[in-house]
Amino acid sequence: MAAVDIAQKDASSIALPGLGRALISAGKLTQKAAEDIFRKSQASRTGFIAEVTGTGAVSASELAHTVSSIFGAPLLDLNAIDPLRLPRDLLDAKICQAYRVLVLSKRNNRLIVATADPTDQEAAEKIKFTTQMGVDWVIAEYDKLARLIDSNTKSANEAIDAYAGAGDFEFEDVAIEEAADTSDASGGDVEDAPIVKFLHKMLLDAFNMRASDLHFEPYEHHYRVRFRVDGELREIASPPIAIKDKLASRIKVISRLDISEKRVPQDGRMKLKVGPDRVIDFRVSTLPTLFGEKIVIRILDPSSAKMGIEALGYEPEEKERLLKAIERPYGMILVTGPTGSGKTVSLYTCLNLLNKPGVNIATAEDPSEINLPGVNQVNVNEKAGLTFAVALKSFLRQDPDIIMVGEIRDLETADISIKAAQTGHLVLSTLHTNDAPTTLTRMRNMGIAPFNIASSVILITAQRLARKLCPVCKEPIDIPHEALVDAGYAEEEIDGSWVPYKPVGCSACNNGYKGRLGIYQVMPVTEEIQRIILRDGSALEIAAQAKLEGVRSLRESGLYKAKLGVTSLEEVLAVTNL
């Protein structure tokens, strides 16, 4: 009779586990030792293999080699495994913890699973039932396996607590009751307290750091949270990748988005209460990526529209031109610049100045970012057929005095806007162009007749946002004469009466910068510029005429700010072009 059969027969009275019988057959344990270890494991509920290695009866290394030899399964040194590259979504972490197994990879419809005990049929059946895939065992040393499982399946909640801290936050959901109808579909994910706490912590930190956007970004082996502070993205946290789905569900529920839809982008909004009397709006955008949904949250602070035109950074002559234009009863004012250059804040600052009881103001936006009481705001919804053009046509039947169009994107919208400006309405809008003179030629290229442009547009503002130097730590810098000339300064300006400054960095700022200010090119459409437009002149001709009339280019405006010491020459060169 084979040795293993004899061992099984002798041990049958106490039903030793398969691993115990295998160790007896290999001569690693006596019958009595195996029975004693089994009784101890039953009493302490630690498991037979943990008791074997824990008592030193058989070392983890010797056990792995013996089991590999007996069962003909490959032996793997887990020290050679990169934990970050292990698949995390193939098997539930609770099963890995309970049965001390670790999924290494997937091949066709079978899982390659590391274990120290290939005789555990219950574990094999549980994995098969849960994943609907077959199991191929790979033998690993128990101590190394246990450490890797514990670190790899560490509760995401514990890791999140390290970021969120232990304190309570005065950050209350305003829209939770409105989102309650989706809570059934969300299950426990969105009510996971550490997830809620982590999200609130991130939003509160972003608000306190005066960030404009939060980015929640999943990747193959890690997850990161970044804030855009003073125009630059900064990595703030790297929480466990296991939280990505729960966090996305939480954000989508309070933003009233479809949490079951992960294949297409979605847009939503949420409100959160900061303290007793202040509510901040957040605009939420989701985007399906290779490894999960990236979520960007933009902070929409209504107070930014009420901070006054002085706070925007206009020089006195620029402010005078703008105020003179918005006081006109009719005409079109255009604000141009790339995304994130502060166009919306500039427009709303103007609307706030114009918002009086005797004036009817209507806006069409995609979407409306800042809530301004007294202004009739409409969100464009192209899927429902509510385009900028449709909204504009409707506005004209609503007896408006002032119309604000979020963006002129096509000829139809431009045509209606111009007709409104020509028929007694003040129209404010935006375009994506590099500077003020090219805005007029861009409109010409859209198909608008020169005489319509010349008779309707009264002022164009091009703008950029530059970081402000920290007043606490900025230091003078010696820049060679040639470099100043190359940057755009005239010879007569480099007279030694002023000193450029450089960023340094201190506890009060962000790498030497604190806050941002606008750099502007404010160009009124004068009679001379109208003549150039009517004869279909180029942007270069318009720019030359504007310069003769005292309009600074964006570069010149930025150089003037550097001359005043409020920003650095390096920053000016980065955000403007000659």
Side-chain angles (χ1 to χ4, degrees):
M1 186 180 289
V4 70
D5 293 334
I6 295 171
Q8 288 176 349
K9 183 177 179 180
D10 293 340
S12 62
S13 58
I14 62 166
L16 281 174
L19 184 63
R21 297 195 295 271
L23 291 175
I24 293 171
S25 70
K28 298 298 180 181
L29 288 177
T30 64
Q31 178 73 29
K32 184 177 184 305
E35 291 178 357
D36 289 343
I37 290 172
F38 180 65
R39 290 191 188 99
K40 286 181 182 178
S41 69
Q42 293 284 81
S44 61
R45 297 182 180 179
T46 57
F48 182 78
I49 193 169
E51 198 69 34
V52 168
T53 56
T55 58
V58 181
S59 70
S61 176
E62 185 180 4
L63 176 65
H65 283 82
T66 302
V67 169
S68 174
S69 176
I70 292 174
F71 294 98
L75 179 64
L76 177 67
D77 182 2
L78 292 180
N79 286 339
I81 294 293
D82 181 359
L84 294 177
R85 296 192 173 276
L86 290 173
R88 296 171 184 264
D89 301 325
L90 296 176
L91 188 62
D92 189 89
K94 293 178 181 178
I95 296 176
C96 294
Q97 284 278 19
Y99 293 100
R100 286 314 206 202
V101 295
L102 188 66
V103 177
L104 301 175
S105 63
K106 177 187 173 186
R107 184 186 300 142
N108 297 326
N109 200 37
R110 299 188 69 81
L111 295 178
I112 313 301
V113 183
T115 183
D117 182 7
T119 68
D120 191 345
Q121 291 302 312
E122 184 181 345
E125 292 303 322
K126 183 70 173 178
I127 296 171
K128 289 177 184 177
F129 178 78
T130 304
T131 64
Q132 297 298 303
M133 287 186 277
V135 177
D136 292 331
W137 293 124
V138 171
I139 308 303
E141 296 170 43
Y142 181 77
D143 54 348
K144 294 179 181 178
L145 180 64
R147 282 197 300 270
L148 190 54
I149 290 171
D150 288 339
S151 64
N152 212 40
T153 60
K154 179 182 179 182
S155 169
N157 294 349
E158 293 176 20
I160 293 169
D161 281 339
Y163 289 103
D168 294 326
F169 304 103
E170 296 181 12
F171 226 54
E172 301 173 4
D173 294 318
V174 174
I176 285 295
E177 289 184 6
E178 297 178 40
D181 58 342
T182 62
S183 61
D184 292 339
S186 64
D189 286 355
V190 297
E191 298 304 328
D192 194 322
I195 296 290
V196 174
K197 191 176 180 181
F198 175 73
L199 176 59
H200 284 193
K201 167 69 171 171
M202 290 296 100
L203 293 171
L204 185 60
D205 283 353
F207 177 75
N208 290 334
M209 291 172 67
R210 302 185 65 83
S212 59
D213 302 87
L214 299 85
H215 294 239
F216 297 88
E217 302 170 311
Y219 296 96
E220 185 175 9
H221 302 298
H222 71 285
Y223 191 86
R224 71 176 177 182
V225 180
R226 294 191 293 173
F227 294 172
R228 188 176 292 279
V229 181
D230 293 338
E232 281 197 336
L233 280 170
R234 299 170 56 190
E235 185 165 336
I236 301 299
S238 294
I241 194 169
I243 77 165
K244 65 178 183 179
D245 292 330
K246 290 183 178 182
L247 185 59
S249 294
R250 173 67 182 171
I251 293 171
K252 288 162 82 172
V253 162
I254 59 177
S255 305
R256 295 182 288 281
L257 300 178
D258 183 355
I259 66 170
S260 64
E261 181 56 78
K262 301 179 181 180
R263 300 164 299 175
V264 297
Q266 297 187 69
D267 294 301
R269 294 178 75 107
M270 61 184 179
K271 290 175 180 278
L272 289 173
K273 191 174 181 182
V274 187
D277 57 359
R278 190 170 187 184
V279 174
I280 302 299
D281 284 328
F282 296 88
R283 191 178 76 194
V284 180
S285 173
T286 71
L287 179 69
T289 67
L290 286 177
F291 305 106
E293 288 181 285
K294 175 181 176 177
I295 298 176
V296 176
I297 300 177
R298 170 157 288 189
I299 300 175
L300 308 173
D301 188 354
S303 63
S304 62
K306 301 177 182 179
M307 60 186 180
I309 197 167
E310 292 79 11
L312 297 182
Y314 285 96
E315 296 303 323
E317 65 274 17
E318 295 170 344
K319 183 176 74 171
E320 184 182 351
R321 290 175 194 150
L322 180 61
L323 292 176
K324 189 176 179 181
I326 65 174
E327 288 171 0
R328 297 268 291 269
Y330 58 87
M332 178 182 284
I333 297 171
L334 294 172
V335 180
T336 74
T339 301
S341 60
K343 299 189 298 296
T344 300
V345 172
S346 293
L347 283 175
Y348 269 94
T349 301
C350 292
L351 287 180
N352 195 49
L353 293 172
L354 296 167
N355 189 15
K356 298 172 184 176
V359 178
N360 179 20
I361 303 175
T363 73
E365 301 164 82
D366 185 21
S368 176
E369 294 189 1
I370 299 172
N371 181 26
L372 197 59
V375 175
N376 305 291
Q377 297 170 276
V378 174
N379 272 338
V380 168
N381 185 344
E382 294 194 2
K383 290 182 180 178
L386 181 57
T387 63
F388 280 116
V390 171
L392 273 171
K393 289 177 182 176
S394 180
F395 287 169
L396 294 175
R397 295 191 290 270
Q398 292 274 319
D399 185 30
D401 296 300
I402 299 165
I403 296 171
M404 196 268 272
V405 184
E407 183 184 347
I408 294 178
R409 296 177 179 173
D410 52 58
L411 178 59
E412 185 181 12
T413 304
D415 191 48
I416 300 170
S417 300
I418 282 175
K419 286 178 180 176
Q422 291 172 333
T423 55
H425 307 92
L426 183 64
V427 179
L428 289 75
S429 190
T430 71
L431 269 175
H432 285 94
T433 56
N434 289 327
D435 59 15
T438 56
T439 302
L440 295 170
T441 54
R442 165 81 177 119
M443 295 179 74
R444 183 72 188 91
N445 292 336
M446 289 175 69
I448 304 169
F451 64 86
N452 278 332
I453 300 172
S455 63
S456 60
V457 180
I458 58 175
L459 181 129
I460 301 170
T461 296
Q463 65 182 68
R464 301 288 188 277
L465 288 179
R467 292 178 293 172
K468 292 168 66 176
L469 283 168
C470 174
V472 177
C473 66
K474 68 178 183 180
E475 291 182 356
I477 182 175
D478 184 19
I479 299 177
H481 182 279
E482 296 77 11
L484 293 173
V485 172
D486 289 343
Y489 285 107
E491 289 285 351
E492 59 270 19
E493 290 183 284
I494 312 171
D495 55 7
S497 63
W498 58 277
V499 178
Y501 286 85
K502 67 176 182 179
V504 178
C506 65
S507 59
C509 66
N510 175 28
N511 297 325
Y513 296 98
K514 186 175 183 181
R516 289 193 288 178
L517 79 161
I519 294 176
Y520 301 95
Q521 180 184 28
V522 183
M523 188 184 81
V525 179
T526 61
E527 289 185 4
E528 287 300 322
I529 292 177
Q530 284 178 339
R531 290 191 184 98
I532 296 172
I533 296 169
L534 287 170
R535 69 168 186 264
D536 215 6
S538 68
L540 291 175
E541 292 179 81
I542 296 171
Q545 179 60 35
K547 188 170 185 177
L548 287 175
E549 296 173 1
V551 175
R552 290 193 187 101
S553 68
L554 281 169
R555 170 60 65 86
E556 290 168 344
S557 181
L559 292 176
Y560 184 72
K561 293 282 199 299
K563 193 175 176 181
L564 295 176
V566 293
T567 189
S568 66
L569 181 59
E570 177 187 16
E571 182 71 4
V572 170
L573 297 179
V575 300
T576 64
N577 53 347
L578 284 171

